[in-house]
Amino acid sequence: MSIPANLKYTKDHEWVSIEGDVATVGITHFAQKELGDIVYVEVETLDQTLDKDEVFGTVEAVKTVSDLFLPLTGEIIAFNEDLESAPETVNSDPYGEGWMIKVKISNPEEIDTLLSDEAYKELIGA
């Protein structure tokens, strides 16, 4: 299972890539595998500022709908609109083209609360 070392992770199975004060967020390979075939990604929080752990959207698979939790407090500044017509990209490329949102980080200290790749591997038993 792919767990890139250059990313941070959450206990809710989101991955986070940080560049300056912007975080790109998606769901992990483990999460997309557990969900199954993803048919819809909904993010209605674009241009909103949310607190860490608030729900920023949902991901719908054939058999279930799951909330998406914001890993860091900040303003949601971008949504991957390609997912509207091709939500299955989350399954095929969760760490690349399947990214979901970009967040302008409000509280950089929260980055230290995210999991390393090693800690995430322990969490999922990989």
Side-chain angles (χ1 to χ4, degrees):
M1 181 176 312
S2 174
I3 302 173
N6 63 320
L7 301 175
K8 297 287 189 180
Y9 299 89
T10 71
K11 292 178 180 166
D12 296 310
H13 309 290
E14 280 98 13
W15 60 263
V16 184
S17 172
I18 299 166
E19 294 178 32
D21 64 349
V22 175
T24 302
V25 179
I27 64 170
T28 65
H29 177 78
F30 176 85
Q32 68 80 24
K33 187 176 175 191
E34 291 291 307
L35 288 167
D37 293 336
I38 293 173
V39 296
Y40 189 66
V41 177
E42 180 176 52
V43 174
E44 294 184 348
T45 52
L46 188 61
D47 299 324
Q48 293 181 29
T49 298
L50 301 176
D51 290 331
K52 179 182 189 307
D53 297 327
E54 279 194 84
V55 174
F56 71 84
T58 57
V59 60
E60 182 177 339
V62 173
K63 297 179 184 175
T64 189
V65 175
S66 184
D67 286 336
L68 298 166
F69 298 95
L70 197 62
L72 300 165
T73 300
E75 179 185 359
I76 298 173
I77 58 173
F79 166 62
N80 184 354
E81 294 180 3
D82 292 342
L83 298 180
E84 291 179 340
S85 60
E88 67 277 3
T89 306
V90 175
N91 292 116
S92 62
D93 190 12
Y95 300 113
E97 296 300 314
W99 67 274
M100 295 181 174
I101 61 168
K102 292 187 185 284
V103 179
K104 185 164 180 25
I105 302 168
S106 298
N107 187 356
E109 295 80 34
E110 291 176 347
I111 295 168
D112 294 336
T113 68
L114 299 173
L115 302 175
S116 67
D117 60 313
E118 291 301 320
Y120 186 69
K121 285 177 188 174
E122 283 183 39
L123 176 74
I124 63 171

